[in-house]
Amino acid sequence: MLDLLRLRFRQGYQTSPYPKTDVAFPDHFRGRPAIDASKCEENCRACADACPVGAISLEPLRIDLGACTFCPVCEKACPPGAVTYTHDHRLAARTRDELVIGDSEVRLATALDDESRRLFGRSLRLRQVSAGGCNGCEAELVALGNVVFDLARFGIQFVASPRHADGLVITGPVTDNMRAALLATYEATPSPRLVIAVGACAISGGPFAGARESGDGVPAGMPVDLYIPGCPPHPFTIMDGLLRLLGRMEPS
Ligand code: SF4
């Protein structure tokens, strides 16, 4: 017992105080891109041509966070600095359209309606479906259970069966081989149920978009309540999106 207490004293309190305080990310972390179209040179399309996933559109310059893999290619292709990456980890949105951002736009996920918050706000059980991705997103979801992030302190937990779940967390582009399993899992989740798309693959197909036998994300007809961009998203990005959805964060 004394040894345990000594160990506890030595290790201290390791759980992050987020969201009570902000998070300091390392220099190499790439969060929300900042767009300053006034720095664009005439007829330049270097960033759009360089983007490996076609996430950038021009006139006006916009980035689709649902397709972006947060690689540094567009930033490097633009010496004037029209596109740069910030350390802002808040990326989640409620609609697909809100993921397409332009000049200095920050659109954060809004909360569920009052009735849904009454149902899910204090206790949310989620079933994760890995639908053909690379496992990067799943690794970050697993990290949410460790002592640093400790997602369970907010009443949010992952469960083994869709029958015990309030919603699905979907990762991967939804390959042909996983489509039927995903739809069956969706049907097995009692209504009302939430659908949360995590990662570029689940939102748009990500790096696999258009590939043979790979889908372009959550199938049409499955309504998505929350999109969490990234490839993969940082655990704090996922946590931020979930807490905003449940109305547990300040709106801005
Ligand atoms: S979004 Fe990126 S990290 Fe997540 S499954 Fe797809 S390729 Fe992997």
Side-chain angles (χ1 to χ4, degrees), residues 21-146:
T21 61
D22 282 340
V23 189
F25 288 93
D27 280 348
H28 61 261
F29 174 75
R30 284 187 294 276
R32 176 182 296 276
I35 297 174
D36 183 354
S38 68
K39 293 182 176 168
C40 290
E41 290 167 359
E42 206 176 341
N43 296 326
C44 176
R45 43 175 306 113
C47 60
D49 288 346
C51 178
V53 289
I56 299 181
S57 53
L58 300 171
E59 294 173 19
L61 175 57
R62 298 179 84 77
I63 298 183
D64 179 359
L65 298 184
C68 180
T69 56
F70 295 78
C71 74
V73 171
C74 57
E75 192 178 43
K76 286 182 179 161
C78 179
V83 181
T84 53
Y85 284 90
T86 70
H87 284 179
D88 187 354
H89 67 289
R90 303 166 306 161
L91 301 169
R94 293 294 307 280
T95 68
R96 186 69 185 83
D97 287 348
E98 286 171 336
L99 292 176
V100 182
I101 61 165
D103 257 40
S104 308
E105 275 182 88
V106 178
R107 301 194 227 166
L108 302 178
T110 53
L112 291 164
D113 60 39
D114 289 349
E115 174 62 9
S116 300
R117 282 165 63 185
R118 190 183 64 76
L119 285 172
F120 304 123
R122 292 162 65 92
S123 167
L124 181 66
R125 301 288 181 267
L126 298 168
R127 164 75 173 145
Q128 206 267 311
V129 180
S130 177
C134 74
N135 245 22
C137 288
E138 289 86 334
E140 304 299 346
L141 288 166
V142 169
L144 285 169
N146 72 28

Side-chain angles (χ1 to χ4, degrees), residues 154-229:
F154 302 106
I156 306 171
Q157 288 178 319
F158 290 91
V159 293
S161 165
R163 304 240 181 249
H164 303 156
D166 302 304
L168 301 182
V169 170
I170 302 169
T171 56
V174 191
T175 56
D176 289 352
N177 283 343
M178 280 303 297
R179 192 164 295 111
L182 173 62
L183 292 173
T185 309
Y186 179 71
E187 291 303 329
T189 310
S191 290
R193 59 204 155 196
L194 300 176
V195 173
I196 299 162
V198 170
C201 284
I203 298 172
S204 66
F208 305 109
R212 191 164 58 93
E213 294 165 357
S214 163
D216 291 338
V218 176
M222 193 178 288
V224 176
D225 297 284
L226 183 69
Y227 296 91
I228 303 180

